[in-house]
Amino acid sequence: AAGVIQSPRHLIKEKRETATLKCYPIPRHDTVYWYQQGPGQDPQFLISFYEKMQSDKGSIPDRFSAQQFSDYHSELNMSSLELGDSALYFCASSLTPGQGAKNEQFFGPGTRLTVL
Amino acid sequence: DAKTTQPPSMDCAEGRAANLPCNHSTISGNEYVYWYRQIHSQGPQYIIHGLKNNETNEMASLIITEDRKSSTLILPHATLRDTAVYYCIVRVAYGQNFVFGPGTRLSVLP
């Protein structure tokens, strides 16, 4: 079965540079979530989108922005990168309930961002 | 969202059942209990969820107490590949993000 696709899988950037992470949800899934997991930490929710509109916002820095496109893929844009942004970034997708969904989120393999 | 409490770590012998407890004493009537696991920096993986009835699927069983204040995830025959951090999460509605707590680090020993 198709899974959530994230690209790139690994990314190395310098401080103050920008980065763009991409997420391709499971086909027919209309909701996308972004999580950040720092070294030795648990995943922390950043932001989510439903039908191309922001649906919820967590601890996302103002330097970060995200959007969901008409094909439901999503991009997380990160500017003025800091050393502390080094982390695993996970994207998850889910299906609107009422379509046989169990409300679970399916997670992608993650993008490992290293800021030097 | 209600908070959950899990033991930080547990060991289990390979082939034996792993029973992972979770306390969620402040759970609301419309909140579900979800279990996810994360194997060494991979994306979290859905295991099972339930509201008030016990649930079973091909991966695990979920036992929820009658007062819904605690639950137990059971992996019936643990293998080395079940070594992971297991997260118990309560969530009220579709669309809400998951709040991952400390979880239980399960080590399956040969």
Side-chain angles (χ1 to χ4, degrees), chain B residues 77-90:
Chain B
H77 304 287
T79 70
L80 299 179
R81 287 174 294 182
D82 292 322
T83 292
V85 178
Y86 287 76
Y87 296 100
C88 169
I89 303 167
V90 294

mmCIF file with all atom_site columns, all heavy atoms in Angstrom, chain B residues 77-90:
data_model
loop_
_atom_site.group_PDB
_atom_site.id
_atom_site.type_symbol
_atom_site.label_atom_id
_atom_site.label_alt_id
_atom_site.label_comp_id
_atom_site.label_asym_id
_atom_site.label_entity_id
_atom_site.label_seq_id
_atom_site.pdbx_PDB_ins_code
_atom_site.Cartn_x
_atom_site.Cartn_y
_atom_site.Cartn_z
_atom_site.occupancy
_atom_site.B_iso_or_equiv
_atom_site.pdbx_formal_charge
_atom_site.auth_seq_id
_atom_site.auth_comp_id
_atom_site.auth_asym_id
_atom_site.auth_atom_id
_atom_site.pdbx_PDB_model_num
ATOM 1   N N   . HIS B 1 77 ? 2.990  -11.969 21.495 1.00 0.00 ? 77 HIS B N   1
ATOM 2   C CA  . HIS B 1 77 ? 4.227  -12.743 21.361 1.00 0.00 ? 77 HIS B CA  1
ATOM 3   C C   . HIS B 1 77 ? 5.327  -11.784 20.883 1.00 0.00 ? 77 HIS B C   1
ATOM 4   O O   . HIS B 1 77 ? 5.556  -11.631 19.689 1.00 0.00 ? 77 HIS B O   1
ATOM 5   C CB  . HIS B 1 77 ? 4.058  -13.883 20.358 1.00 0.00 ? 77 HIS B CB  1
ATOM 6   C CG  . HIS B 1 77 ? 2.935  -14.812 20.684 1.00 0.00 ? 77 HIS B CG  1
ATOM 7   N ND1 . HIS B 1 77 ? 2.984  -15.724 21.721 1.00 0.00 ? 77 HIS B ND1 1
ATOM 8   C CD2 . HIS B 1 77 ? 1.704  -14.949 20.124 1.00 0.00 ? 77 HIS B CD2 1
ATOM 9   C CE1 . HIS B 1 77 ? 1.838  -16.385 21.768 1.00 0.00 ? 77 HIS B CE1 1
ATOM 10  N NE2 . HIS B 1 77 ? 1.043  -15.930 20.823 1.00 0.00 ? 77 HIS B NE2 1
ATOM 11  N N   . ALA B 1 78 ? 5.973  -11.132 21.830 1.00 0.00 ? 78 ALA B N   1
ATOM 12  C CA  . ALA B 1 78 ? 6.924  -10.088 21.478 1.00 0.00 ? 78 ALA B CA  1
ATOM 13  C C   . ALA B 1 78 ? 8.133  -10.665 20.737 1.00 0.00 ? 78 ALA B C   1
ATOM 14  O O   . ALA B 1 78 ? 8.630  -11.758 21.061 1.00 0.00 ? 78 ALA B O   1
ATOM 15  C CB  . ALA B 1 78 ? 7.395  -9.360  22.736 1.00 0.00 ? 78 ALA B CB  1
ATOM 16  N N   . THR B 1 79 ? 8.574  -9.929  19.723 1.00 0.00 ? 79 THR B N   1
ATOM 17  C CA  . THR B 1 79 ? 9.781  -10.287 18.995 1.00 0.00 ? 79 THR B CA  1
ATOM 18  C C   . THR B 1 79 ? 10.792 -9.154  19.142 1.00 0.00 ? 79 THR B C   1
ATOM 19  O O   . THR B 1 79 ? 10.459 -8.055  19.596 1.00 0.00 ? 79 THR B O   1
ATOM 20  C CB  . THR B 1 79 ? 9.497  -10.516 17.505 1.00 0.00 ? 79 THR B CB  1
ATOM 21  O OG1 . THR B 1 79 ? 9.188  -9.255  16.896 1.00 0.00 ? 79 THR B OG1 1
ATOM 22  C CG2 . THR B 1 79 ? 8.327  -11.470 17.303 1.00 0.00 ? 79 THR B CG2 1
ATOM 23  N N   . LEU B 1 80 ? 12.016 -9.409  18.718 1.00 0.00 ? 80 LEU B N   1
ATOM 24  C CA  . LEU B 1 80 ? 13.055 -8.387  18.828 1.00 0.00 ? 80 LEU B CA  1
ATOM 25  C C   . LEU B 1 80 ? 12.667 -7.134  18.049 1.00 0.00 ? 80 LEU B C   1
ATOM 26  O O   . LEU B 1 80 ? 13.039 -6.015  18.430 1.00 0.00 ? 80 LEU B O   1
ATOM 27  C CB  . LEU B 1 80 ? 14.386 -8.937  18.310 1.00 0.00 ? 80 LEU B CB  1
ATOM 28  C CG  . LEU B 1 80 ? 14.956 -10.153 19.056 1.00 0.00 ? 80 LEU B CG  1
ATOM 29  C CD1 . LEU B 1 80 ? 16.268 -10.603 18.416 1.00 0.00 ? 80 LEU B CD1 1
ATOM 30  C CD2 . LEU B 1 80 ? 15.140 -9.859  20.536 1.00 0.00 ? 80 LEU B CD2 1
ATOM 31  N N   . ARG B 1 81 ? 11.891 -7.299  16.985 1.00 0.00 ? 81 ARG B N   1
ATOM 32  C CA  . ARG B 1 81 ? 11.482 -6.156  16.173 1.00 0.00 ? 81 ARG B CA  1
ATOM 33  C C   . ARG B 1 81 ? 10.439 -5.284  16.853 1.00 0.00 ? 81 ARG B C   1
ATOM 34  O O   . ARG B 1 81 ? 10.083 -4.227  16.337 1.00 0.00 ? 81 ARG B O   1
ATOM 35  C CB  . ARG B 1 81 ? 10.949 -6.654  14.818 1.00 0.00 ? 81 ARG B CB  1
ATOM 36  C CG  . ARG B 1 81 ? 12.036 -7.159  13.886 1.00 0.00 ? 81 ARG B CG  1
ATOM 37  C CD  . ARG B 1 81 ? 11.458 -7.758  12.635 1.00 0.00 ? 81 ARG B CD  1
ATOM 38  N NE  . ARG B 1 81 ? 10.701 -8.976  12.914 1.00 0.00 ? 81 ARG B NE  1
ATOM 39  C CZ  . ARG B 1 81 ? 10.120 -9.713  11.983 1.00 0.00 ? 81 ARG B CZ  1
ATOM 40  N NH1 . ARG B 1 81 ? 10.184 -9.347  10.721 1.00 0.00 ? 81 ARG B NH1 1
ATOM 41  N NH2 . ARG B 1 81 ? 9.461  -10.801 12.312 1.00 0.00 ? 81 ARG B NH2 1
ATOM 42  N N   . ASP B 1 82 ? 9.918  -5.753  17.991 1.00 0.00 ? 82 ASP B N   1
ATOM 43  C CA  . ASP B 1 82 ? 8.962  -4.934  18.748 1.00 0.00 ? 82 ASP B CA  1
ATOM 44  C C   . ASP B 1 82 ? 9.672  -3.971  19.692 1.00 0.00 ? 82 ASP B C   1
ATOM 45  O O   . ASP B 1 82 ? 9.000  -3.181  20.377 1.00 0.00 ? 82 ASP B O   1
ATOM 46  C CB  . ASP B 1 82 ? 8.021  -5.835  19.544 1.00 0.00 ? 82 ASP B CB  1
ATOM 47  C CG  . ASP B 1 82 ? 7.078  -6.622  18.642 1.00 0.00 ? 82 ASP B CG  1
ATOM 48  O OD1 . ASP B 1 82 ? 6.614  -6.064  17.620 1.00 0.00 ? 82 ASP B OD1 1
ATOM 49  O OD2 . ASP B 1 82 ? 6.809  -7.803  18.956 1.00 0.00 ? 82 ASP B OD2 1
ATOM 50  N N   . THR B 1 83 ? 10.972 -4.024  19.760 1.00 0.00 ? 83 THR B N   1
ATOM 51  C CA  . THR B 1 83 ? 11.719 -3.065  20.571 1.00 0.00 ? 83 THR B CA  1
ATOM 52  C C   . THR B 1 83 ? 11.493 -1.660  20.013 1.00 0.00 ? 83 THR B C   1
ATOM 53  O O   . THR B 1 83 ? 11.788 -1.396  18.849 1.00 0.00 ? 83 THR B O   1
ATOM 54  C CB  . THR B 1 83 ? 13.220 -3.401  20.575 1.00 0.00 ? 83 THR B CB  1
ATOM 55  O OG1 . THR B 1 83 ? 13.432 -4.622  21.279 1.00 0.00 ? 83 THR B OG1 1
ATOM 56  C CG2 . THR B 1 83 ? 14.026 -2.294  21.236 1.00 0.00 ? 83 THR B CG2 1
ATOM 57  N N   . ALA B 1 84 ? 10.943 -0.780  20.854 1.00 0.00 ? 84 ALA B N   1
ATOM 58  C CA  . ALA B 1 84 ? 10.531 0.547   20.382 1.00 0.00 ? 84 ALA B CA  1
ATOM 59  C C   . ALA B 1 84 ? 10.072 1.382   21.571 1.00 0.00 ? 84 ALA B C   1
ATOM 60  O O   . ALA B 1 84 ? 9.964  0.883   22.692 1.00 0.00 ? 84 ALA B O   1
ATOM 61  C CB  . ALA B 1 84 ? 9.391  0.429   19.366 1.00 0.00 ? 84 ALA B CB  1
ATOM 62  N N   . VAL B 1 85 ? 9.784  2.645   21.305 1.00 0.00 ? 85 VAL B N   1
ATOM 63  C CA  . VAL B 1 85 ? 9.111  3.495   22.287 1.00 0.00 ? 85 VAL B CA  1
ATOM 64  C C   . VAL B 1 85 ? 7.621  3.448   21.979 1.00 0.00 ? 85 VAL B C   1
ATOM 65  O O   . VAL B 1 85 ? 7.209  3.688   20.839 1.00 0.00 ? 85 VAL B O   1
ATOM 66  C CB  . VAL B 1 85 ? 9.626  4.944   22.234 1.00 0.00 ? 85 VAL B CB  1
ATOM 67  C CG1 . VAL B 1 85 ? 8.858  5.815   23.236 1.00 0.00 ? 85 VAL B CG1 1
ATOM 68  C CG2 . VAL B 1 85 ? 11.119 4.988   22.525 1.00 0.00 ? 85 VAL B CG2 1
ATOM 69  N N   . TYR B 1 86 ? 6.825  3.135   22.995 1.00 0.00 ? 86 TYR B N   1
ATOM 70  C CA  . TYR B 1 86 ? 5.382  2.996   22.828 1.00 0.00 ? 86 TYR B CA  1
ATOM 71  C C   . TYR B 1 86 ? 4.686  4.181   23.488 1.00 0.00 ? 86 TYR B C   1
ATOM 72  O O   . TYR B 1 86 ? 4.920  4.486   24.653 1.00 0.00 ? 86 TYR B O   1
ATOM 73  C CB  . TYR B 1 86 ? 4.901  1.682   23.442 1.00 0.00 ? 86 TYR B CB  1
ATOM 74  C CG  . TYR B 1 86 ? 5.288  0.493   22.612 1.00 0.00 ? 86 TYR B CG  1
ATOM 75  C CD1 . TYR B 1 86 ? 6.599  0.003   22.621 1.00 0.00 ? 86 TYR B CD1 1
ATOM 76  C CD2 . TYR B 1 86 ? 4.354  -0.137  21.779 1.00 0.00 ? 86 TYR B CD2 1
ATOM 77  C CE1 . TYR B 1 86 ? 6.973  -1.072  21.830 1.00 0.00 ? 86 TYR B CE1 1
ATOM 78  C CE2 . TYR B 1 86 ? 4.721  -1.210  20.986 1.00 0.00 ? 86 TYR B CE2 1
ATOM 79  C CZ  . TYR B 1 86 ? 6.025  -1.670  21.012 1.00 0.00 ? 86 TYR B CZ  1
ATOM 80  O OH  . TYR B 1 86 ? 6.388  -2.735  20.220 1.00 0.00 ? 86 TYR B OH  1
ATOM 81  N N   . TYR B 1 87 ? 3.845  4.840   22.717 1.00 0.00 ? 87 TYR B N   1
ATOM 82  C CA  . TYR B 1 87 ? 3.133  6.022   23.183 1.00 0.00 ? 87 TYR B CA  1
ATOM 83  C C   . TYR B 1 87 ? 1.646  5.729   23.344 1.00 0.00 ? 87 TYR B C   1
ATOM 84  O O   . TYR B 1 87 ? 0.998  5.233   22.423 1.00 0.00 ? 87 TYR B O   1
ATOM 85  C CB  . TYR B 1 87 ? 3.286  7.179   22.193 1.00 0.00 ? 87 TYR B CB  1
ATOM 86  C CG  . TYR B 1 87 ? 4.686  7.698   22.014 1.00 0.00 ? 87 TYR B CG  1
ATOM 87  C CD1 . TYR B 1 87 ? 5.466  7.319   20.932 1.00 0.00 ? 87 TYR B CD1 1
ATOM 88  C CD2 . TYR B 1 87 ? 5.220  8.602   22.931 1.00 0.00 ? 87 TYR B CD2 1
ATOM 89  C CE1 . TYR B 1 87 ? 6.755  7.817   20.752 1.00 0.00 ? 87 TYR B CE1 1
ATOM 90  C CE2 . TYR B 1 87 ? 6.506  9.106   22.762 1.00 0.00 ? 87 TYR B CE2 1
ATOM 91  C CZ  . TYR B 1 87 ? 7.261  8.704   21.679 1.00 0.00 ? 87 TYR B CZ  1
ATOM 92  O OH  . TYR B 1 87 ? 8.530  9.211   21.512 1.00 0.00 ? 87 TYR B OH  1
ATOM 93  N N   . CYS B 1 88 ? 1.140  6.067   24.510 1.00 0.00 ? 88 CYS B N   1
ATOM 94  C CA  . CYS B 1 88 ? -0.298 6.018   24.782 1.00 0.00 ? 88 CYS B CA  1
ATOM 95  C C   . CYS B 1 88 ? -0.817 7.451   24.706 1.00 0.00 ? 88 CYS B C   1
ATOM 96  O O   . CYS B 1 88 ? -0.287 8.337   25.386 1.00 0.00 ? 88 CYS B O   1
ATOM 97  C CB  . CYS B 1 88 ? -0.526 5.427   26.170 1.00 0.00 ? 88 CYS B CB  1
ATOM 98  S SG  . CYS B 1 88 ? -2.204 5.559   26.819 1.00 0.00 ? 88 CYS B SG  1
ATOM 99  N N   . ILE B 1 89 ? -1.811 7.700   23.877 1.00 0.00 ? 89 ILE B N   1
ATOM 100 C CA  . ILE B 1 89 ? -2.271 9.071   23.635 1.00 0.00 ? 89 ILE B CA  1
ATOM 101 C C   . ILE B 1 89 ? -3.786 9.082   23.702 1.00 0.00 ? 89 ILE B C   1
ATOM 102 O O   . ILE B 1 89 ? -4.439 8.173   23.179 1.00 0.00 ? 89 ILE B O   1
ATOM 103 C CB  . ILE B 1 89 ? -1.825 9.554   22.236 1.00 0.00 ? 89 ILE B CB  1
ATOM 104 C CG1 . ILE B 1 89 ? -0.298 9.462   22.082 1.00 0.00 ? 89 ILE B CG1 1
ATOM 105 C CG2 . ILE B 1 89 ? -2.299 10.983  21.980 1.00 0.00 ? 89 ILE B CG2 1
ATOM 106 C CD1 . ILE B 1 89 ? 0.163  9.612   20.645 1.00 0.00 ? 89 ILE B CD1 1
ATOM 107 N N   . VAL B 1 90 ? -4.349 10.103  24.347 1.00 0.00 ? 90 VAL B N   1
ATOM 108 C CA  . VAL B 1 90 ? -5.795 10.270  24.307 1.00 0.00 ? 90 VAL B CA  1
ATOM 109 C C   . VAL B 1 90 ? -6.109 11.472  23.419 1.00 0.00 ? 90 VAL B C   1
ATOM 110 O O   . VAL B 1 90 ? -5.410 12.473  23.435 1.00 0.00 ? 90 VAL B O   1
ATOM 111 C CB  . VAL B 1 90 ? -6.405 10.435  25.721 1.00 0.00 ? 90 VAL B CB  1
ATOM 112 C CG1 . VAL B 1 90 ? -6.228 9.154   26.522 1.00 0.00 ? 90 VAL B CG1 1
ATOM 113 C CG2 . VAL B 1 90 ? -5.805 11.606  26.445 1.00 0.00 ? 90 VAL B CG2 1
#
